């Protein structure tokens, strides 16, 4: 998934996918469908938006400062006010080494 923080930003992979195309020859020979702009948009979030009932053109992805503050209060009231996972670069490296011993 593109939400993984271990390997950095996936932006280069997203850009490569947006530029990728299946040649007409491969479409004919192997039966691959064309990767149109519409199909790529569905793969890169459109399908999830449809499943969750979100209209990306109408809804902002950025919560307001008021929304964030309210969420923090609600989480704190439930006792969920601590950070999870490593909080320093050294802790992140140690966690990565532990989870990827072959590296």
């Amino acid at each position: 998934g593109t939400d993984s923080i271990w390997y950095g930003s996936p932006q280069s992979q997203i850009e490569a996918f947006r530029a990728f195309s299946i040649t007409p020859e491969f479409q004919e020979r192997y039966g691959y469908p064309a990767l149109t702009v519409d199909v790529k948009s569905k793969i890169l979030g459109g399908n999830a938006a449809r499943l969750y009932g979100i209209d990306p053109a109408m809804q902002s992805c950025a919560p307001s400062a008021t929304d964030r503050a309210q969420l923090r209060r609600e989480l704190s009231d439930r006792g969920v006010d601590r950070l999870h996972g490593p909080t320093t670069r050294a802790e992140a490296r140690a966690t990565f080494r532990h989870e990827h011993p072959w590296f």
Side-chain angles (χ1 to χ4, degrees):
T2 56
D3 55 351
S4 173
I5 62 167
W6 289 115
Y7 305 106
S9 171
Q11 192 60 41
S12 60
Q13 296 167 16
I14 293 169
E15 290 172 5
F17 178 69
R18 286 192 185 278
F20 178 75
S21 65
I22 297 177
T23 64
E25 177 188 348
F26 270 46
Q27 290 176 41
E28 185 178 329
R29 183 184 295 178
Y30 300 106
Y32 294 139
L35 277 176
T36 64
V37 171
D38 184 51
V39 169
K40 291 177 186 180
S41 293
K42 289 177 181 177
I43 292 169
L44 293 172
N47 288 330
R50 182 178 45 80
L51 288 171
Y52 288 108
I54 297 169
D55 181 356
M58 300 299 293
Q59 292 177 295
S60 171
C61 295
S64 69
T66 304
D67 292 337
R68 290 191 305 271
Q70 179 182 350
L71 181 59
R72 283 189 197 104
R73 281 191 304 276
E74 290 172 4
L75 291 173
S76 181
D77 291 345
R78 293 188 347 222
V80 185
D81 58 351
R82 66 183 191 283
L83 294 175
H84 298 280
T87 58
T88 66
R89 183 176 181 173
E91 289 175 354
R93 285 179 167 277
T95 301
F96 181 84
R97 275 192 233 105
H98 175 73
E99 292 178 357
H100 302 84
W102 61 88
F103 217 86

